[in-house]
Amino acid sequence: MQYTKHEAKAHARETMWGIWAAALNPFHADGSFDEAGLRHNIRHWIDDLQIQGLFIAGKQGEFWSMSLDERKRNMTVAAEECGGKAGTIMSISDQNVDTVLELGLHAQDCGADYVVVHAPMLSFCHDRDEVLYNYYKYLCDRLDIGIAMWSHPDSGYLMEPETCARIADLPNIMAIKYSVPREIYARLSRMVGDKILVSTSSEDEWLDNIEELGWQLYLCSSPPYQLQTANDLRMHEYTQLAFAGKFDEARRVRNSLDPVREAIRGTKPGGKPTAHGKYWQELLGQVGGHVRHPMLEMTDAEKAATRAAFESCGLKL
């Protein structure tokens, strides 16, 4: 690791800039992990799309369907491919805290830059503040790597801004992926100031968050490699314009991507977001692959509708 536990906050503020994408994991038809396919995608994302960092082994990557050894290998492959060219934040989320720690130690050993830990599901628990603080403190006491919080409705609740701000005082808590309504994450952002990086996965709100909240980090989902090609880097372009303070110009570029956004949203079948994302990747020339159970594959008709929308959305291939 390139920093100590107590340097994690400062290191993150120096190194976590711009667009970080959440990687979908390609799987073969027999369900096995397509390691070569992921390597191919990572090279494209970094070399051609100029994505600055990758979120690995998260929900987009179907981590819950993978064995412990597969999750470790997923991290190692990404660390190898990103080393020296892009940052990595590895999801070590799990309900079993020993699994979280085992994955965290592996992330430290394989060259990851940071890890992210989803807020756990909590049954029969109404006063969550102390439970969540002690959960993250337990992990911080045992890991040296920088740890990002992650709050999402999938936990069955949302972490309160006050709880997040309290946890942010722990030495190696350096960020949060806060998948909550904008008024909630804006409140946390103002509460913690420069203490930790606050981000969310909504690409629709990314430009506004740079301008209005002073954000430096998009953390993260699949739009960075679904809205862009090697010949069409409009998300990267509007991000750089916004960082330069050219917000009117940035907004024009951002808005020009609306037909692409609508093509994706308008063809995504209910219950099949992962398969749809992977098929869109294939249309872009990336490796998409199959999904694992219990996720559903797309039908031929759904693929045909998606292809028609893709071909008319205006992306330059």
Side-chain angles (χ1 to χ4, degrees), residues 236-275:
H236 173 78
E237 182 183 351
Y238 84 67
T239 297
Q240 296 307 309
L241 287 168
F243 283 160
K246 300 177 180 179
F247 294 109
D248 289 341
E249 190 174 350
R251 193 160 284 107
R252 285 193 294 272
V253 176
R254 181 196 66 180
N255 293 348
S256 73
L257 282 167
D258 282 346
V260 186
R261 297 185 185 97
E262 182 53 36
I264 293 172
R265 291 172 184 155
T267 58
K268 188 180 296 183
K272 301 180 181 180
T274 309

Side-chain angles (χ1 to χ4, degrees), residues 11 117 140 155 214:
H11 189 78
V117 182
C140 286
S155 294

Side-chain angles (χ1 to χ4, degrees), residues 51-70:
I51 292 172
Q52 283 103 337
L54 295 177
F55 186 117
I56 297 296
K59 288 188 291 186
Q60 296 273 5
E62 301 171 78
F63 80 87
W64 33 262
S65 73
M66 301 176 77
S67 69
L68 187 58
D69 285 343
E70 284 178 320

Side-chain angles (χ1 to χ4, degrees), residues 208-221:
D208 295 333
N209 291 333
I210 299 172
E211 182 175 13
E212 298 171 16
L213 300 175
W215 281 13
Q216 68 180 57
L217 174 67
Y218 175 79
L219 183 73
C220 52
S221 56

Side-chain angles (χ1 to χ4, degrees), residues 3-315:
Y3 57 90
T4 67
K5 176 182 293 193
H6 290 273
E7 295 170 336
K9 286 178 168 61
H11 189 78
R13 189 153 293 279
E14 291 173 4
T15 60
M16 294 189 83
W17 281 87
I19 297 169
W20 288 46
L24 287 159
N25 272 328
F27 297 111
H28 294 293
D30 65 1
S32 59
F33 176 39
D34 185 354
E35 179 178 315
L38 179 62
R39 289 182 185 274
H40 170 85
N41 287 344
I42 290 175
R43 292 267 53 82
H44 169 62
W45 297 339
I46 296 173
D47 298 341
D48 299 329
L49 304 186
Q50 302 181 46
I51 292 172
Q52 283 103 337
L54 295 177
F55 186 117
I56 297 296
K59 288 188 291 186
Q60 296 273 5
E62 301 171 78
F63 80 87
W64 33 262
S65 73
M66 301 176 77
S67 69
L68 187 58
D69 285 343
E70 284 178 320
R71 293 179 69 182
K72 289 179 179 179
R73 184 59 184 165
N74 194 182
M75 295 180 190
T76 299
V77 168
E80 290 173 353
E81 291 297 328
C82 291
K85 291 189 175 183
T88 54
I89 183 165
M90 311 296 190
S91 172
I92 60 172
S93 304
D94 200 89
Q95 278 298 107
N96 184 300
V97 73
D98 291 333
T99 298
V100 176
L101 286 173
E102 185 173 346
L103 289 169
L105 292 170
H106 178 77
Q108 291 179 174
D109 292 342
C110 78
D113 293 298
Y114 307 100
V115 297
V116 59
V117 182
H118 202 295
M121 291 183 290
L122 298 174
S123 301
F124 313 114
C125 180
H126 300 288
D127 184 6
R128 292 182 290 265
D129 181 79
E130 197 66 24
V131 173
L132 290 169
Y133 178 81
N134 279 280
Y135 177 73
Y136 280 101
K137 184 178 187 302
Y138 183 87
L139 298 174
C140 286
D141 287 346
R142 290 159 177 79
L143 295 172
D144 294 324
I145 197 167
I147 300 172
M149 296 175 278
W150 185 8
S151 181
H152 190 282
D154 286 0
S155 294
Y157 61 91
L158 298 175
M159 293 173 65
E160 295 293 336
E162 292 77 11
T163 302
C164 298
R166 182 186 178 200
I167 295 170
D169 286 331
L170 294 169
N172 45 330
I173 295 290
M174 32 57 71
I176 181 171
K177 181 179 179 181
Y178 209 18
S179 302
V180 299
R182 192 167 192 265
E183 63 270 17
I184 298 178
Y185 69 66
R187 181 152 60 97
L188 176 62
S189 191
R190 295 184 179 105
M191 288 172 66
V192 298
D194 291 339
K195 188 180 298 183
I196 64 170
L197 298 171
V198 179
S199 189
T200 194
S201 59
S202 173
E203 185 269 332
D204 290 350
E205 299 166 357
W206 169 226
L207 174 55
D208 295 333
N209 291 333
I210 299 172
E211 182 175 13
E212 298 171 16
L213 300 175
W215 281 13
Q216 68 180 57
L217 174 67
Y218 175 79
L219 183 73
C220 52
S221 56
S222 52
Y225 53 83
Q226 292 180 333
L227 297 178
Q228 303 191 102
T229 73
N231 297 312
D232 195 339
L233 297 175
R234 278 178 281 174
M235 186 177 178
H236 173 78
E237 182 183 351
Y238 84 67
T239 297
Q240 296 307 309
L241 287 168
F243 283 160
K246 300 177 180 179
F247 294 109
D248 289 341
E249 190 174 350
R251 193 160 284 107
R252 285 193 294 272
V253 176
R254 181 196 66 180
N255 293 348
S256 73
L257 282 167
D258 282 346
V260 186
R261 297 185 185 97
E262 182 53 36
I264 293 172
R265 291 172 184 155
T267 58
K268 188 180 296 183
K272 301 180 181 180
T274 309
H276 184 270
K278 291 184 178 186
Y279 183 62
W280 192 270
Q281 283 184 271
E282 291 175 6
L283 295 173
L284 287 166
Q286 301 173 32
V287 180
H290 294 263
V291 296
R292 282 184 170 178
H293 292 295
M295 304 307 290
L296 300 173
E297 297 284 4
M298 293 178 68
T299 66
D300 289 342
E302 289 165 344
K303 288 182 177 181
T306 301
R307 176 181 288 275
F310 172 83
E311 290 173 348
S312 63
C313 73
L315 270 178

